[in-house]
Amino acid sequence: MTKDVIVCRCEGTTLEEIATIAAEYQCSAREVKLRTRAGMGYCGGRTCRGFIDYIVSHHSNHQELTLHHRPPVRPIPFALFREVNDE
Amino acid sequence: MVDLLIIGAGPAGLAASIEAASRNLSVTIIDEFTTPGGRLLGQLHEEEKDVWWNGVEEAHTLHEKAQENGVELLLETSVYKIQQEDVYWSTHTSAGIYHSKALLIATGATEQSLPLPGWTLPGVMSIGAAQVMTNVRHVKPGEKGIIIGLNALSFAISRELRLCNIDLEGFFLPPDHFLTTDQAKPLSVLNNLMTLSHLAPMNWMRLGGKIANNNRWIQKQTLSFYPKRGINIWQTPVHVRKAVTSINGSTQVESVTVVDLRADGTMIEGSEENLEVDFVCISGGLAPLTELIGLTDLKLIAIESLGGYVPVHFEDMRTEVTDLYVAGNITGIESAKVARAQGVVAGISACIHSFNLRNDDALEIAMEKVRKERAEAKLQFHPEIEKGRTLLYSEKGEVQYG
Amino acid sequence: MNNFRITDHPILKIPSSRSVISFTFNGVNYNALDGDTIASALLVNGIRAIREHEESGQPRGLYCNIGHCFECRVTVNEREGQRSCITKVSNGMDVQSSKKLPTPFKKEEAQYG
Ligand SMILES: Cc1cc2nc3c(=O)[nH]c(=O)nc-3n(C[C@H](O)[C@H](O)[C@H](O)COP(=O)(O)OP(=O)(O)OC[C@H]3O[C@@H](n4cnc5c(N)ncnc54)[C@H](O)[C@@H]3O)c2cc1C
Ligand code: FES
């Protein structure tokens, strides 16, 4: 079942993929995201961030959470984006 | 530059704006939704026989009062960044940057999901999505639906869907996997439902009466003899021993596969059955929407009874960051009446702590009102909310901050 | 058009005199009522699939209906990434759903094709 359960709807990443990478690399939620792209999609991980933290905290001995958000907390038009990153 | 900028026009934000504006502060509220009221707009509960909590009307009343007091309201505008400058806050929105001396974050809650095979198909939606579709947009989410997840919110909303003559196949458990855990195990679900028995006016007691409260042995017996056709609440069968294992369809929802469970939650092989539905509601509970807090220096702390991570704050809705306030469901998941009462506190508190207004007894009265609303809440999302609040407000310093 | 529109309700007041407006979705003309969001207008017109997933091409519909998940995003009058659940329809509005992106050319194709 776990390979059919999509956790990150934006990137299509499954529960199995996230758990496997977390166990294999024993890494932080942030690294799992970079490796699987889960939580890195269009919505910015709004629906799945908590799940990813939870899976990682059980499959890896890294306990650091990703509660610290980065702006923008909403995807924004490209023109505005430059302004956010400039600061 | 305004005195107070409020993010979120739900009951908390609107109530705060009225208090602050009536004490002569200039106030702007920003909200990305189409209508003021936040999640209040979808709510429709019968609190006592024939006494309805009608969210649209409550929202309308708050909005009118805010207007009378000169509050400026910007709708369909998303906030994507906030930043504290020397003596003011910058709020970056899809309609430009706004400055204010004080900032109140009242962004409310977000729904949690229960991932399962097929849940990306069109026609699968959160239970709150169905509530907004019927009660705010006046459109049915479909002809016949099924609800996955048994909790206070899904029960309340099922009735609202029934009022619109929408056919519901029943409440079912999600499949048991790593992310659904407690919400997928018959015994823990039953146990959780028993704690909702104060929902008595909401009919749940009928079921509660059949399943003696708090007695593990009786609960286990109840599970063993749980009727196969379920127990109805508001004409919708509640199944604690059936789970949906997949949602099926080629381009949209056509059916779900359900399976019978033993009392211990294991699947009974060969009991799979396909039920035709055209929509599916997922109800995984609510959590505070704290993403904007994550951009500030304010600490978040995990308190399960409040729904997850909440910003550390005082009972008067101040935070440890100067001129930053929080109110409503961002501080913990509770009913709209509590959120509204917290908004009143935040509005007064901002006047006192950021604008040197004299501290008369209005603040204490408002805080007392929050406690009262909490104690009397008809819809409670967690049985230990008071404990969570006590932990946050009186033992501050002893808890480990995230 | 299906009969999903709720016209009377035992408790809620349903506004009755809403004017009919029209908009296009992927080039096809549809009717809506003033005050509808793009997502609710599509639903009464029998359309659940609002976009295609950019990589897999799977159809996607609304999920949260309150602007949190971005599953319902569309291009409105050439502005990309608008959430159809919190964007009201206006008369003559042009709505396009995002489509599966073409898979990148293979190297040889790019060189010789
Ligand atoms: C889907 C859902 C259904 C619910 N149903 C019920 C129910 O039936 N009964 C009940 O008692 N409680 C229900 N609740 C709980 C509800 O949160 C409270 O009842 C109450 O509405 C909380 O009030 P609030 O003012 O804190 O937040 P809300 O009412 O949620 O208002 C917050 C507002 O902030 C806005 N916002 C958030 N982030 C941003 C941003 N970045 N930029 C701009 N605007 C933003 C939102 O658009 C929203 O209008 C529900 C919650 C949800 C999420
Ligand atoms: S359905 Fe979630 S943003 Fe529109």
mmCIF file of all heavy atoms in Angstrom, chain B residues 262-302:
data_model
loop_
_atom_site.group_PDB
_atom_site.id
_atom_site.type_symbol
_atom_site.label_atom_id
_atom_site.label_comp_id
_atom_site.label_asym_id
_atom_site.label_seq_id
_atom_site.Cartn_x
_atom_site.Cartn_y
_atom_site.Cartn_z
ATOM 1 N N ARG B 262 -11.476 -6.549 11.396
ATOM 2 C CA ARG B 262 -11.749 -7.224 12.667
ATOM 3 C C ARG B 262 -11.697 -6.167 13.756
ATOM 4 O O ARG B 262 -11.230 -5.043 13.533
ATOM 5 C CB ARG B 262 -10.692 -8.292 12.928
ATOM 6 C CG ARG B 262 -10.744 -9.419 11.915
ATOM 7 C CD ARG B 262 -9.797 -10.545 12.275
ATOM 8 N NE ARG B 262 -9.765 -11.487 11.160
ATOM 9 C CZ ARG B 262 -8.953 -11.354 10.095
ATOM 10 N NH1 ARG B 262 -8.088 -10.361 10.029
ATOM 11 N NH2 ARG B 262 -9.015 -12.211 9.103
ATOM 12 N N ALA B 263 -12.141 -6.547 14.960
ATOM 13 C CA ALA B 263 -12.151 -5.583 16.053
ATOM 14 C C ALA B 263 -10.752 -5.026 16.311
ATOM 15 O O ALA B 263 -10.584 -3.890 16.731
ATOM 16 C CB ALA B 263 -12.718 -6.220 17.313
ATOM 17 N N ASP B 264 -9.709 -5.817 16.016
ATOM 18 C CA ASP B 264 -8.344 -5.330 16.247
ATOM 19 C C ASP B 264 -7.812 -4.504 15.083
ATOM 20 O O ASP B 264 -6.674 -4.051 15.099
ATOM 21 C CB ASP B 264 -7.400 -6.497 16.550
ATOM 22 C CG ASP B 264 -7.174 -7.388 15.334
ATOM 23 O OD1 ASP B 264 -7.761 -7.105 14.254
ATOM 24 O OD2 ASP B 264 -6.424 -8.366 15.441
ATOM 25 N N GLY B 265 -8.609 -4.313 14.051
ATOM 26 C CA GLY B 265 -8.223 -3.429 12.962
ATOM 27 C C GLY B 265 -7.640 -4.137 11.752
ATOM 28 O O GLY B 265 -7.428 -3.520 10.719
ATOM 29 N N THR B 266 -7.369 -5.450 11.868
ATOM 30 C CA THR B 266 -6.818 -6.139 10.699
ATOM 31 C C THR B 266 -7.926 -6.379 9.671
ATOM 32 O O THR B 266 -9.097 -6.511 10.018
ATOM 33 C CB THR B 266 -6.181 -7.490 11.098
ATOM 34 O OG1 THR B 266 -7.134 -8.219 11.879
ATOM 35 C CG2 THR B 266 -4.915 -7.271 11.917
ATOM 36 N N MET B 267 -7.515 -6.428 8.404
ATOM 37 C CA MET B 267 -8.503 -6.565 7.333
ATOM 38 C C MET B 267 -8.997 -7.992 7.209
ATOM 39 O O MET B 267 -8.234 -8.934 7.378
ATOM 40 C CB MET B 267 -7.866 -6.197 5.996
ATOM 41 C CG MET B 267 -7.641 -4.737 5.816
ATOM 42 S SD MET B 267 -7.103 -4.498 4.111
ATOM 43 C CE MET B 267 -6.098 -3.053 4.312
ATOM 44 N N ILE B 268 -10.262 -8.142 6.882
ATOM 45 C CA ILE B 268 -10.815 -9.469 6.633
ATOM 46 C C ILE B 268 -10.697 -9.737 5.137
ATOM 47 O O ILE B 268 -11.340 -9.062 4.328
ATOM 48 C CB ILE B 268 -12.282 -9.549 7.109
ATOM 49 C CG1 ILE B 268 -12.336 -9.292 8.619
ATOM 50 C CG2 ILE B 268 -12.899 -10.896 6.734
ATOM 51 C CD1 ILE B 268 -13.735 -9.192 9.198
ATOM 52 N N GLU B 269 -9.823 -10.675 4.791
ATOM 53 C CA GLU B 269 -9.573 -10.962 3.371
ATOM 54 C C GLU B 269 -10.877 -11.345 2.679
ATOM 55 O O GLU B 269 -11.711 -12.029 3.250
ATOM 56 C CB GLU B 269 -8.577 -12.125 3.208
ATOM 57 C CG GLU B 269 -7.252 -11.975 3.930
ATOM 58 C CD GLU B 269 -6.435 -10.774 3.464
ATOM 59 O OE1 GLU B 269 -6.519 -10.429 2.260
ATOM 60 O OE2 GLU B 269 -5.728 -10.174 4.294
ATOM 61 N N GLY B 270 -11.004 -10.910 1.450
ATOM 62 C CA GLY B 270 -12.169 -11.313 0.671
ATOM 63 C C GLY B 270 -13.418 -10.492 0.956
ATOM 64 O O GLY B 270 -14.462 -10.728 0.371
ATOM 65 N N SER B 271 -13.320 -9.502 1.864
ATOM 66 C CA SER B 271 -14.520 -8.721 2.188
ATOM 67 C C SER B 271 -14.603 -7.439 1.355
ATOM 68 O O SER B 271 -15.494 -6.622 1.549
ATOM 69 C CB SER B 271 -14.525 -8.365 3.677
ATOM 70 O OG SER B 271 -13.442 -7.500 3.967
ATOM 71 N N GLU B 272 -13.675 -7.271 0.409
ATOM 72 C CA GLU B 272 -13.655 -6.042 -0.391
ATOM 73 C C GLU B 272 -14.971 -5.848 -1.135
ATOM 74 O O GLU B 272 -15.571 -6.801 -1.622
ATOM 75 C CB GLU B 272 -12.522 -6.046 -1.436
ATOM 76 C CG GLU B 272 -11.148 -5.902 -0.863
ATOM 77 C CD GLU B 272 -10.547 -7.238 -0.454
ATOM 78 O OE1 GLU B 272 -11.287 -8.262 -0.507
ATOM 79 O OE2 GLU B 272 -9.366 -7.244 -0.069
ATOM 80 N N GLU B 273 -15.343 -4.604 -1.229
ATOM 81 C CA GLU B 273 -16.610 -4.281 -1.876
ATOM 82 C C GLU B 273 -16.435 -2.915 -2.535
ATOM 83 O O GLU B 273 -15.771 -2.041 -1.961
ATOM 84 C CB GLU B 273 -17.669 -4.200 -0.761
ATOM 85 C CG GLU B 273 -19.071 -3.998 -1.201
ATOM 86 C CD GLU B 273 -20.014 -3.757 0.000
ATOM 87 O OE1 GLU B 273 -19.542 -3.763 1.164
ATOM 88 O OE2 GLU B 273 -21.188 -3.532 -0.248
ATOM 89 N N ASN B 274 -16.977 -2.742 -3.735
ATOM 90 C CA ASN B 274 -16.896 -1.426 -4.369
ATOM 91 C C ASN B 274 -18.200 -0.664 -4.193
ATOM 92 O O ASN B 274 -19.270 -1.203 -4.444
ATOM 93 C CB ASN B 274 -16.612 -1.571 -5.872
ATOM 94 C CG ASN B 274 -15.130 -1.656 -6.140
ATOM 95 O OD1 ASN B 274 -14.313 -1.635 -5.207
ATOM 96 N ND2 ASN B 274 -14.764 -1.751 -7.400
ATOM 97 N N LEU B 275 -18.109 0.576 -3.754
ATOM 98 C CA LEU B 275 -19.294 1.399 -3.589
ATOM 99 C C LEU B 275 -19.215 2.554 -4.575
ATOM 100 O O LEU B 275 -18.190 3.229 -4.667
ATOM 101 C CB LEU B 275 -19.350 1.956 -2.160
ATOM 102 C CG LEU B 275 -19.334 0.933 -1.016
ATOM 103 C CD1 LEU B 275 -19.259 1.660 0.329
ATOM 104 C CD2 LEU B 275 -20.569 0.045 -1.089
ATOM 105 N N GLU B 276 -20.306 2.762 -5.314
ATOM 106 C CA GLU B 276 -20.303 3.858 -6.286
ATOM 107 C C GLU B 276 -20.577 5.180 -5.614
ATOM 108 O O GLU B 276 -21.594 5.351 -4.928
ATOM 109 C CB GLU B 276 -21.370 3.602 -7.357
ATOM 110 C CG GLU B 276 -20.855 2.719 -8.464
ATOM 111 C CD GLU B 276 -21.883 2.507 -9.550
ATOM 112 O OE1 GLU B 276 -22.671 3.451 -9.824
ATOM 113 O OE2 GLU B 276 -21.887 1.393 -10.113
ATOM 114 N N VAL B 277 -19.683 6.122 -5.797
ATOM 115 C CA VAL B 277 -19.880 7.492 -5.283
ATOM 116 C C VAL B 277 -19.295 8.444 -6.313
ATOM 117 O O VAL B 277 -18.484 8.041 -7.146
ATOM 118 C CB VAL B 277 -19.156 7.719 -3.929
ATOM 119 C CG1 VAL B 277 -19.815 6.969 -2.787
ATOM 120 C CG2 VAL B 277 -17.680 7.350 -4.018
ATOM 121 N N ASP B 278 -19.699 9.712 -6.285
ATOM 122 C CA ASP B 278 -19.053 10.660 -7.199
ATOM 123 C C ASP B 278 -18.217 11.706 -6.466
ATOM 124 O O ASP B 278 -17.602 12.554 -7.088
ATOM 125 C CB ASP B 278 -20.061 11.299 -8.172
ATOM 126 C CG ASP B 278 -21.058 12.215 -7.490
ATOM 127 O OD1 ASP B 278 -21.189 12.146 -6.253
ATOM 128 O OD2 ASP B 278 -21.713 13.006 -8.206
ATOM 129 N N PHE B 279 -18.237 11.652 -5.122
ATOM 130 C CA PHE B 279 -17.274 12.489 -4.412
ATOM 131 C C PHE B 279 -16.876 11.843 -3.101
ATOM 132 O O PHE B 279 -17.595 10.990 -2.570
ATOM 133 C CB PHE B 279 -17.784 13.924 -4.236
ATOM 134 C CG PHE B 279 -18.819 14.123 -3.167
ATOM 135 C CD1 PHE B 279 -18.472 14.651 -1.919
ATOM 136 C CD2 PHE B 279 -20.151 13.818 -3.390
ATOM 137 C CE1 PHE B 279 -19.419 14.851 -0.934
ATOM 138 C CE2 PHE B 279 -21.116 14.024 -2.411
ATOM 139 C CZ PHE B 279 -20.744 14.535 -1.176
ATOM 140 N N VAL B 280 -15.705 12.233 -2.606
ATOM 141 C CA VAL B 280 -15.142 11.669 -1.383
ATOM 142 C C VAL B 280 -14.652 12.830 -0.517
ATOM 143 O O VAL B 280 -13.991 13.732 -1.015
ATOM 144 C CB VAL B 280 -13.940 10.751 -1.707
ATOM 145 C CG1 VAL B 280 -13.285 10.240 -0.426
ATOM 146 C CG2 VAL B 280 -14.357 9.583 -2.590
ATOM 147 N N CYS B 281 -15.025 12.813 0.767
ATOM 148 C CA CYS B 281 -14.530 13.847 1.684
ATOM 149 C C CYS B 281 -13.535 13.228 2.650
ATOM 150 O O CYS B 281 -13.820 12.194 3.252
ATOM 151 C CB CYS B 281 -15.665 14.443 2.504
ATOM 152 S SG CYS B 281 -16.869 15.297 1.516
ATOM 153 N N ILE B 282 -12.391 13.869 2.809
ATOM 154 C CA ILE B 282 -11.375 13.390 3.735
ATOM 155 C C ILE B 282 -11.339 14.315 4.948
ATOM 156 O O ILE B 282 -11.232 15.530 4.804
ATOM 157 C CB ILE B 282 -9.995 13.354 3.047
ATOM 158 C CG1 ILE B 282 -10.012 12.299 1.935
ATOM 159 C CG2 ILE B 282 -8.899 13.070 4.055
ATOM 160 C CD1 ILE B 282 -8.695 12.120 1.224
ATOM 161 N N SER B 283 -11.459 13.728 6.138
ATOM 162 C CA SER B 283 -11.449 14.547 7.349
ATOM 163 C C SER B 283 -10.340 14.082 8.291
ATOM 164 O O SER B 283 -10.500 13.134 9.047
ATOM 165 C CB SER B 283 -12.811 14.452 8.045
ATOM 166 O OG SER B 283 -12.836 15.311 9.163
ATOM 167 N N GLY B 284 -9.205 14.754 8.228
ATOM 168 C CA GLY B 284 -8.053 14.351 9.040
ATOM 169 C C GLY B 284 -7.801 15.281 10.215
ATOM 170 O O GLY B 284 -6.769 15.204 10.862
ATOM 171 N N GLY B 285 -8.738 16.178 10.478
ATOM 172 C CA GLY B 285 -8.563 17.086 11.614
ATOM 173 C C GLY B 285 -7.966 18.427 11.209
ATOM 174 O O GLY B 285 -7.657 18.656 10.040
ATOM 175 N N LEU B 286 -7.851 19.316 12.194
ATOM 176 C CA LEU B 286 -7.390 20.679 11.926
ATOM 177 C C LEU B 286 -6.068 20.948 12.635
ATOM 178 O O LEU B 286 -5.782 20.353 13.671
ATOM 179 C CB LEU B 286 -8.428 21.689 12.427
ATOM 180 C CG LEU B 286 -9.824 21.601 11.807
ATOM 181 C CD1 LEU B 286 -10.803 22.499 12.556
ATOM 182 C CD2 LEU B 286 -9.775 21.990 10.334
ATOM 183 N N ALA B 287 -5.290 21.840 12.088
ATOM 184 C CA ALA B 287 -4.041 22.258 12.728
ATOM 185 C C ALA B 287 -3.891 23.767 12.544
ATOM 186 O O ALA B 287 -4.348 24.321 11.539
ATOM 187 C CB ALA B 287 -2.859 21.535 12.100
ATOM 188 N N PRO B 288 -3.259 24.450 13.511
ATOM 189 C CA PRO B 288 -3.074 25.895 13.379
ATOM 190 C C PRO B 288 -2.257 26.240 12.126
ATOM 191 O O PRO B 288 -1.307 25.523 11.798
ATOM 192 C CB PRO B 288 -2.286 26.265 14.642
ATOM 193 C CG PRO B 288 -2.592 25.178 15.613
ATOM 194 C CD PRO B 288 -2.743 23.933 14.789
ATOM 195 N N LEU B 289 -2.640 27.313 11.430
ATOM 196 C CA LEU B 289 -1.928 27.738 10.214
ATOM 197 C C LEU B 289 -0.848 28.752 10.602
ATOM 198 O O LEU B 289 -1.104 29.945 10.677
ATOM 199 C CB LEU B 289 -2.918 28.356 9.213
ATOM 200 C CG LEU B 289 -2.362 28.775 7.856
ATOM 201 C CD1 LEU B 289 -1.734 27.597 7.125
ATOM 202 C CD2 LEU B 289 -3.445 29.392 6.995
ATOM 203 N N THR B 290 0.338 28.242 10.849
ATOM 204 C CA THR B 290 1.379 29.074 11.474
ATOM 205 C C THR B 290 2.477 29.526 10.521
ATOM 206 O O THR B 290 3.497 30.034 10.956
ATOM 207 C CB THR B 290 2.070 28.288 12.607
ATOM 208 O OG1 THR B 290 2.602 27.085 12.043
ATOM 209 C CG2 THR B 290 1.099 27.942 13.712
ATOM 210 N N GLU B 291 2.280 29.318 9.213
ATOM 211 C CA GLU B 291 3.404 29.565 8.294
ATOM 212 C C GLU B 291 3.985 30.976 8.413
ATOM 213 O O GLU B 291 5.196 31.154 8.291
ATOM 214 C CB GLU B 291 2.982 29.268 6.858
ATOM 215 C CG GLU B 291 1.693 29.954 6.480
ATOM 216 C CD GLU B 291 1.052 29.424 5.202
ATOM 217 O OE1 GLU B 291 1.502 28.387 4.697
ATOM 218 O OE2 GLU B 291 0.116 30.055 4.725
ATOM 219 N N LEU B 292 3.137 31.972 8.677
ATOM 220 C CA LEU B 292 3.680 33.331 8.791
ATOM 221 C C LEU B 292 4.509 33.504 10.070
ATOM 222 O O LEU B 292 5.460 34.281 10.099
ATOM 223 C CB LEU B 292 2.557 34.380 8.736
ATOM 224 C CG LEU B 292 1.936 34.597 7.351
ATOM 225 C CD1 LEU B 292 0.669 35.444 7.464
ATOM 226 C CD2 LEU B 292 2.923 35.259 6.387
ATOM 227 N N ILE B 293 4.140 32.774 11.118
ATOM 228 C CA ILE B 293 4.915 32.827 12.366
ATOM 229 C C ILE B 293 6.339 32.332 12.111
ATOM 230 O O ILE B 293 7.303 32.850 12.664
ATOM 231 C CB ILE B 293 4.262 31.948 13.461
ATOM 232 C CG1 ILE B 293 2.838 32.393 13.748
ATOM 233 C CG2 ILE B 293 5.105 31.951 14.746
ATOM 234 C CD1 ILE B 293 2.706 33.727 14.429
ATOM 235 N N GLY B 294 6.445 31.320 11.226
ATOM 236 C CA GLY B 294 7.752 30.759 10.890
ATOM 237 C C GLY B 294 8.697 31.781 10.277
ATOM 238 O O GLY B 294 9.894 31.539 10.155
ATOM 239 N N LEU B 295 8.172 32.933 9.857
ATOM 240 C CA LEU B 295 9.024 33.978 9.280
ATOM 241 C C LEU B 295 9.504 34.957 10.347
ATOM 242 O O LEU B 295 10.278 35.861 10.055
ATOM 243 C CB LEU B 295 8.255 34.771 8.212
ATOM 244 C CG LEU B 295 7.612 33.993 7.064
ATOM 245 C CD1 LEU B 295 6.873 34.943 6.139
ATOM 246 C CD2 LEU B 295 8.662 33.231 6.291
ATOM 247 N N THR B 296 9.019 34.807 11.573
ATOM 248 C CA THR B 296 9.399 35.747 12.640
ATOM 249 C C THR B 296 10.302 35.037 13.646
ATOM 250 O O THR B 296 10.597 33.855 13.499
ATOM 251 C CB THR B 296 8.159 36.263 13.402
ATOM 252 O OG1 THR B 296 7.635 35.172 14.190
ATOM 253 C CG2 THR B 296 7.081 36.750 12.462
ATOM 254 N N ASP B 297 10.705 35.762 14.676
ATOM 255 C CA ASP B 297 11.546 35.152 15.715
ATOM 256 C C ASP B 297 10.710 34.430 16.766
ATOM 257 O O ASP B 297 11.244 33.892 17.727
ATOM 258 C CB ASP B 297 12.365 36.233 16.442
ATOM 259 C CG ASP B 297 13.379 36.846 15.500
ATOM 260 O OD1 ASP B 297 13.782 36.141 14.552
ATOM 261 O OD2 ASP B 297 13.745 38.015 15.698
ATOM 262 N N LEU B 298 9.404 34.471 16.588
ATOM 263 C CA LEU B 298 8.536 33.879 17.596
ATOM 264 C C LEU B 298 8.681 32.355 17.597
ATOM 265 O O LEU B 298 8.742 31.720 16.557
ATOM 266 C CB LEU B 298 7.089 34.259 17.278
ATOM 267 C CG LEU B 298 6.068 34.037 18.366
ATOM 268 C CD1 LEU B 298 6.475 34.768 19.637
ATOM 269 C CD2 LEU B 298 4.713 34.542 17.898
ATOM 270 N N LYS B 299 8.725 31.777 18.792
ATOM 271 C CA LYS B 299 8.897 30.331 18.893
ATOM 272 C C LYS B 299 7.560 29.615 18.775
ATOM 273 O O LYS B 299 6.522 30.128 19.177
ATOM 274 C CB LYS B 299 9.537 29.977 20.230
ATOM 275 C CG LYS B 299 10.983 30.410 20.304
ATOM 276 C CD LYS B 299 11.626 29.811 21.544
ATOM 277 C CE LYS B 299 13.036 30.305 21.722
ATOM 278 N NZ LYS B 299 13.121 31.422 22.683
ATOM 279 N N LEU B 300 7.611 28.399 18.224
ATOM 280 C CA LEU B 300 6.426 27.549 18.142
ATOM 281 C C LEU B 300 6.611 26.411 19.125
ATOM 282 O O LEU B 300 7.714 25.948 19.353
ATOM 283 C CB LEU B 300 6.292 26.984 16.728
ATOM 284 C CG LEU B 300 5.938 28.002 15.652
ATOM 285 C CD1 LEU B 300 6.346 27.479 14.286
ATOM 286 C CD2 LEU B 300 4.447 28.311 15.662
ATOM 287 N N ILE B 301 5.502 25.967 19.700
ATOM 288 C CA ILE B 301 5.597 24.882 20.663
ATOM 289 C C ILE B 301 4.518 23.860 20.336
ATOM 290 O O ILE B 301 3.395 24.229 19.965
ATOM 291 C CB ILE B 301 5.440 25.440 22.102
ATOM 292 C CG1 ILE B 301 5.397 24.308 23.112
ATOM 293 C CG2 ILE B 301 4.215 26.315 22.255
ATOM 294 C CD1 ILE B 301 5.300 24.787 24.536
ATOM 295 N N ALA B 302 4.855 22.579 20.443
ATOM 296 C CA ALA B 302 3.890 21.539 20.095
ATOM 297 C C ALA B 302 3.020 21.191 21.303
ATOM 298 O O ALA B 302 3.526 20.796 22.347
ATOM 299 C CB ALA B 302 4.619 20.290 19.613
#
